[in-house]
Amino acid sequence: MKFIKKDFLWGGATAAYQFEGEFDKDGKSMNMGEMIPYIKLEDRASPGSKRKGFARAFVEPAIENKEGLHYPKRFGSNHYNRYKEDIDLLAEAKLDIYRMSISWGRIYPNGDESTPNPKGLEFYRNLLTYCKQKGLKIMVTMHHFDTPYPIGVKYGGWMNKQVIEMFIKYAKTLMTEFGDLVDYWLPFNEINISALVPMMGGVAFLEDHPGMSYDQLRFQTLHNQMVAQAKVVQLGHEMLNKKIFGSMIANMTAYPIDCNPINIIEWQKHQELNRYFYYDMAAIGEYPTYMLKLFEKLNVKIDTNPEEMNILKNNTVDFLSFSYYMSGTVGKTVENTSGNLSATGKNPFLKATEWGWQIDPQGLRYTLNDLWDRYHLPLFISENGMGYDDKLNDQKTVEDDYRIDYLKQHFLAIKEAIEDGVNIFGYTMWGVIDLVSGGTNEMSKRYGLVYVDYDDFHNGTGNRFKKKSFDWFKHFMESGEL
Ligand code: BGP
């Protein structure tokens, strides 16, 4: 089966806070991810067995690390020092595009400096230039879960509207410095994380707001980031004059568990709240009525003004992008399984990974059709892939046929969606070179075409080894054969 589509961009994705390491080098400040220790999971598939402790009281001791715990995201895959080797591998696998993130804390460590950190700019200029030399197109995420922690301490994170302005200053610096090197920009990774885990997405702690409800905290944090996203789009269009700005959302496709009308209504509400709300905000630029009704019910009062609402309305994104790993189910009687950012209902027709993420290529086809029909904006899959506890064998490779099968099925689903009429222009596979897991902090939850020799405590050489999927992917790029 051949899959060749002119101008379609195939590639891989990483994020600074999971990949770079050197968390305190050259003036960089810490972010939340770097303050969460590795804790061995009792049961990888059990919903809720991860994400222990996001309260300020829990993360603050991490700064001095008196307990001697291991904080994996401080070390990542040591990409900071090995970036040339990594980019060489991506070029060898014939990727068209590389999605990476820039760490805000390397550019403005405290957020409120008046000038950027030259060392941080130098690192990214070298990296981006090297990517270009190797013929890669580049998509940059400006914020991949990594607001500098000092902004959380001094300003209370994204609950404070001053942080919007700090972010715009940072975005302007990036577009001034790197506008000629970057092909696509995503202001935020999975912007919905702020409504799901506001401590992680926005360094916003309930402890800082006595008497406030959790719903108020999470939806205000999200609102402020949505405004920031729209402002970046506005500024970016002025500065670069190109339609290259997208929103990135953790997609949570779910199906009704059966055709019982009660479950259909529950499913509809679930999809509004967990999917359409975020896409509506980014693509249509206003609060949907179902959310305004929910806010009334929850007594949530968004702090905003007409100027912000105009900015949202008039600066919608040029394309929609999303992460897609799995699907779930909704209904009164479903049993839960683990999932990306939140648990979801089990589906008896699907198999799951060891982490309980249900594998559903047809769900990707459904999602692409659904989003295209609803928004008529070009689509880009910015994350997809299979986490697996790969083992390096004696030949110094990994026989990851399971991953090849996962990717193949998902690529076929994209092909089918294109044949259905969907306008999709690219795909970046998550964690194309192994990196620390976002959700569980395990190094052993691997996604890459390339194996990185570190264990969960960062014992190992850090050397890179090509997996079987590396050759498979390269062959696909050269031949279009699936
Ligand atoms: C998304 C994040 C990524 C990445 C991915 C896989 O939510 O944007 O940063 O981590 O999920 O998740 P995990 O690493 O938990 O398997």
Side-chain angles (χ1 to χ4, degrees):
M1 165 90 64
K2 285 241 177 197
F3 181 177
I4 297 174
K5 184 178 182 282
K6 220 174 146 284
D7 299 331
F8 191 93
L9 300 170
W10 291 102
T14 64
Y17 92 130
Q18 291 164 266
F19 197 38
E20 286 178 0
E22 297 288 18
F23 70 104
D24 59 356
K25 198 163 178 192
D26 295 334
K28 180 184 164 298
S29 60
M30 283 215 270
N31 54 58
M32 280 288 294
E34 293 160 347
M35 298 170 70
I36 311 292
Y38 168 70
I39 297 169
K40 192 170 167 28
L41 300 178
E42 294 309 323
D43 173 6
R44 281 171 156 166
S46 154
S49 69
K50 56 181 178 177
R51 282 190 265 283
K52 295 198 173 118
F54 275 120
R56 192 187 279 291
F58 180 82
V59 294
E60 293 264 291
I63 298 175
E64 291 182 33
N65 192 13
K66 287 192 181 134
E67 304 92 328
L69 296 172
H70 179 55
Y71 293 89
K73 293 193 179 95
R74 298 182 186 184
F75 307 96
S77 301
N78 195 17
H79 174 69
Y80 194 77
N81 296 310
R82 302 181 80 140
Y83 74 87
K84 284 197 174 164
E85 188 183 348
D86 290 340
I87 302 307
D88 286 348
L89 283 161
L90 300 185
E92 190 186 333
K94 303 269 191 258
L95 272 67
D96 300 313
I97 186 165
Y98 176 43
R99 174 186 172 228
M100 52 168 268
S101 77
I102 290 182
S103 165
W104 190 356
R106 289 199 195 280
I107 308 295
Y108 288 100
N110 296 302
D112 56 7
E113 295 90 343
S114 52
T115 53
N117 171 16
K119 288 273 185 200
L121 292 178
E122 187 189 329
F123 170 68
Y124 289 111
R125 177 159 292 284
N126 290 340
L127 168 56
L128 292 164
T129 306
Y130 196 67
C131 289
K132 284 281 131 175
Q133 280 168 10
K134 291 285 163 177
L136 290 162
K137 285 194 183 296
I138 301 165
M139 177 177 278
V140 163
T141 318
M142 295 175 171
H143 181 279
H144 196 120
F145 302 167
D146 60 355
T147 301
Y149 193 67
I151 294 182
V153 175
K154 191 166 167 193
Y155 296 92
W158 280 91
M159 282 298 281
N160 185 336
K161 289 195 188 279
Q162 281 175 271
V163 179
I164 302 177
E165 297 318 312
M166 286 180 216
F167 187 72
I168 301 307
K169 177 185 65 185
Y170 161 63
K172 189 172 182 186
T173 300
L174 297 190
M175 291 190 283
T176 306
E177 295 285 333
F178 309 131
D180 55 338
L181 294 167
V182 175
D183 299 279
Y184 299 97
W185 296 94
L186 300 173
F188 290 89
N189 178 62
E190 298 188 336
I191 194 164
N192 43 337
I193 194 175
S194 283
L196 297 166
V197 197
M199 298 73 89
M200 191 62 202
V203 201
F205 293 94
L206 205 50
E207 295 146 283
D208 294 341
H209 303 277
M212 185 179 279
S213 74
Y214 188 60
D215 286 323
Q216 181 67 39
L217 179 92
R218 67 200 194 98
F219 287 120
Q220 186 66 54
T221 305
L222 177 83
H223 172 86
N224 291 345
Q225 290 194 347
M226 283 286 180
V227 172
Q229 175 171 268
K231 284 189 165 193
V232 173
V233 174
Q234 182 179 37
L235 182 68
H237 284 163
E238 281 162 22
M239 286 177 67
L240 305 174
N241 198 23
K242 286 187 201 148
K243 288 186 164 290
I244 51 174
F245 295 86
S247 189
M248 188 332 194
I249 289 155
N251 184 76
M252 308 221 172
T253 292
Y255 308 121
I257 192 69
D258 58 26
C259 50
N260 182 338
I262 292 172
N263 289 332
I264 302 298
I265 296 294
E266 186 167 330
W267 164 76
Q268 185 179 43
K269 291 287 159 213
H270 177 277
Q271 292 292 273
E272 285 173 353
L273 178 60
N274 290 285
R275 291 180 62 223
Y276 299 136
F277 167 39
Y278 308 104
Y279 294 109
D280 285 1
M281 291 292 287
I284 301 170
E286 57 189 39
Y287 279 94
T289 47
Y290 55 82
M291 282 311 289
L292 296 175
K293 283 285 163 199
L294 183 68
F295 288 165
E296 272 175 32
K297 218 164 110 187
L298 299 174
N299 197 24
V300 167
K301 295 192 172 57
I302 300 294
D303 173 16
T304 186
N305 55 49
E307 193 199 332
E308 279 188 356
M309 297 311 287
N310 277 334
I311 288 169
L312 278 171
K313 184 73 200 159
N314 295 320
N315 299 284
T316 52
V317 290
D318 304 319
F319 66 94
L320 288 173
S321 92
F322 60 92
S323 57
Y324 178 88
Y325 291 93
M326 50 171 299
S327 69
T329 58
V330 180
K332 297 281 177 214
T333 54
V334 295
E335 188 191 339
N336 270 354
T337 181
S338 192
N340 186 23
L341 303 190
S342 68
T344 186
K346 279 191 181 169
N347 183 334
F349 296 97
L350 299 178
K351 293 205 171 80
T353 70
E354 194 187 341
W355 282 264
W357 296 23
Q358 300 179 123
I359 301 170
D360 182 16
Q362 279 304 297
L364 179 57
R365 178 181 178 180
Y366 163 79
T367 302
L368 287 165
N369 274 279
D370 185 42
L371 294 178
W372 171 246
D373 290 348
R374 194 173 162 110
Y375 299 106
H376 289 282
L377 280 177
L379 301 174
F380 189 99
I381 301 164
S382 41
E383 285 183 30
N384 168 253
M386 186 193 201
Y388 200 93
D389 193 347
D390 296 327
K391 302 293 177 210
L392 196 64
N393 65 21
D394 292 344
Q395 285 72 48
K396 297 287 176 206
T397 187
V398 178
E399 298 284 331
D400 55 345
D401 293 281
Y402 39 87
R403 179 168 295 108
I404 293 171
D405 187 55
Y406 179 102
L407 294 173
K408 197 172 174 174
Q409 297 309 323
H410 285 78
F411 290 8
L412 282 171
I414 296 170
K415 183 174 191 286
E416 287 164 350
I418 293 169
E419 285 162 5
D420 293 335
V422 173
N423 178 358
I424 166 170
F425 68 101
Y427 168 102
T428 47
M429 175 196 163
W430 174 248
V432 60
I433 296 174
D434 288 349
L435 37 63
V436 172
S437 158
T440 68
N441 265 345
E442 294 162 288
M443 190 68 211
S444 53
K445 188 180 187 190
R446 298 169 183 276
Y447 286 86
L449 304 175
V450 176
Y451 182 94
V452 174
D453 178 28
Y454 284 127
D455 68 12
D456 289 329
F457 290 93
H458 280 81
N459 301 307
T461 59
N463 288 342
R464 277 61 171 151
F465 299 97
K466 294 173 212 165
K467 302 180 194 175
K468 188 174 178 183
S469 55
F470 183 96
D471 294 328
W472 174 84
F473 188 88
K474 184 177 174 188
H475 178 71
F476 168 66
M477 292 305 291
E478 287 167 339
S479 66
E481 269 167 33
L482 276 176

